[in-house]
């Protein structure tokens, strides 16, 4: 009988493979259907940042934006992605290119565990320029849907899927903290007018993101 640890390792590897394959597929689709996808994804949100303050897209007007969706208990994809955004910020600043007009967001797909305090603790390991967004399931689900982000906890079958009944948060607590969350892994890049300009997949390089941001 397979141990839970071995099963979790298999799930981790599978999620990474799916993120890379699906990410590149969607990125190529974006290139081929540029105007159509730009019209599909709208920038609108109401959430709580990692400092505990309620924010919306109106708080970041006239700024370019990069969004990544993840969770702090993620063992690999999300730390790698947060680190990439942090490195991009450092690289741009090293090249005397200001990042004052860009905001980098890490939006949780695991609000049950990702409180503002938890997000702050996670993000401060990478850069103080990263902004964490969390909230209730009711607040976050419209954002996930707007960005076409697939979110599904990879947990044992006896545990209820807490996303299926988001309106009953208090009755939907998962019984264990030992679970993964399958999620879409893209970087969504908007210009200062909130127009989606690019979708970069997980696995993109620092140079690729720098090039996109410098072209805004």
């Amino acid at each position: 009988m397979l141990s839970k640890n071995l099963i979790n390792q298999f799930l981790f590897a599978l999620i990474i493979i799916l993120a890379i394959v699906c990410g590149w597929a969607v990125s190529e689709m974006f290139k081929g259907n540029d105007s159509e996808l730009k019209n599909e994804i709208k920038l609108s949100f109401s959430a709580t940042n990692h400092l505990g303050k309620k924010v919306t897209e109106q708080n970041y007007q006239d700024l370019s934006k990069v969004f990544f969706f993840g969770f702090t208990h993620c063992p690999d994809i999300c730390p790698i992605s947060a680190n990439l955004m942090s490195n991009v910020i450092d690289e741009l600043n090293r090249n005397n290119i200001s990042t004052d007009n860009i905001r980098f967001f890490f939006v949780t797909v695991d609000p049950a565990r990702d409180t503002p305090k938890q997000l702050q603790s996670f993000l401060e390991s990478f850069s103080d320029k990263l902004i964490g967004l969390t909230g209730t399931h009711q607040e976050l689900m419209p954002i996930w849907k707007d960005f076409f982000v697939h979110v599904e906890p990879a947990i044992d079958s006896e545990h209820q899927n807490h996303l299926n009944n988001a309106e009953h948060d208090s009755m939907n607590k998962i019984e264990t903290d030992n679970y993964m969350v399958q999620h879409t892994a893209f970087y969504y890049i908007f210009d200062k007018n909130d127009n989606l300009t690019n979708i970069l997949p997980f696995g993109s390089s620092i140079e690729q993101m720098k090039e996109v941001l410098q072209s805004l």
Side-chain angles (χ1 to χ4, degrees):
M1 186 174 182
L2 293 176
S3 68
K4 276 196 171 183
N5 187 49
L6 188 59
I7 292 172
N8 282 337
Q9 289 178 7
F10 174 76
L11 284 173
F12 298 161
L14 182 61
I15 289 170
I16 292 175
I17 293 170
L18 287 174
I20 294 173
V21 173
C22 294
W24 282 110
V26 170
S27 181
E28 289 303 310
M29 183 177 69
F30 177 78
K31 291 176 184 177
N33 300 275
D34 189 65
S35 59
E36 182 179 342
L37 283 177
K38 281 181 183 176
N39 292 331
E40 287 292 330
I41 298 179
K42 300 295 185 183
L43 182 57
S44 176
F45 65 87
S46 176
T48 301
N49 69 17
H50 64 283
L51 301 176
K53 179 182 177 181
K54 287 284 187 180
V55 293
T56 72
E57 74 281 357
Q58 298 297 318
N59 292 94
Y60 307 99
Q61 286 185 318
D62 301 322
L63 296 167
S64 300
K65 304 167 188 71
V66 180
F67 286 82
F68 182 83
F69 292 78
F71 65 111
T72 64
H73 287 75
C74 174
D76 30 50
I77 292 176
C78 305
I80 290 171
S81 299
N83 190 56
L84 175 69
M85 292 191 289
S86 175
N87 286 335
V88 167
I89 294 169
D90 291 341
E91 282 289 312
L92 288 171
N93 290 334
R94 260 195 294 270
N95 294 330
N96 295 318
I97 300 171
S98 175
T99 55
D100 290 344
N101 62 338
I102 309 172
R103 295 295 180 269
F104 295 80
F105 295 90
F106 184 96
V107 187
T108 187
V109 294
D110 183 21
R113 292 181 294 184
D114 285 345
T115 62
K117 184 177 180 179
Q118 174 65 23
L119 274 175
Q120 183 175 16
S121 176
F122 173 79
L123 294 176
E124 67 185 8
S125 300
F126 301 99
S127 172
D128 59 5
K129 296 289 184 67
L130 300 182
I131 301 170
L133 294 181
T134 187
T136 65
H137 284 98
Q138 287 176 313
E139 290 171 328
L140 294 175
M141 285 186 73
I143 307 174
W144 300 336
K145 289 179 180 178
D146 285 346
F147 281 75
F148 297 97
V149 174
H150 171 76
V151 180
E152 183 177 353
I155 56 177
D156 294 338
S157 59
E158 69 266 20
H159 296 123
Q160 183 180 6
N161 184 337
H162 65 301
L163 298 180
N164 288 341
N165 299 290
E167 67 272 16
H168 302 299
D169 282 339
S170 62
M171 302 184 65
N172 272 339
K173 293 182 179 177
I174 295 180
E175 298 168 11
T176 177
D177 284 338
N178 184 27
Y179 64 90
M180 290 287 293
V181 182
Q182 298 176 9
H183 61 91
T184 307
F186 308 131
Y187 305 94
Y188 301 83
I189 301 177
F190 294 81
D191 65 19
K192 65 179 182 179
N193 297 314
D194 290 348
N195 297 313
L196 179 66
T197 64
N198 290 86
I199 298 177
L200 296 178
F202 174 77
S204 295
S205 68
I206 295 172
E207 288 302 319
Q208 286 173 308
M209 186 175 289
K210 278 176 56 184
E211 183 180 349
V212 171
L213 292 176
Q214 287 178 259
S215 69
L216 295 178

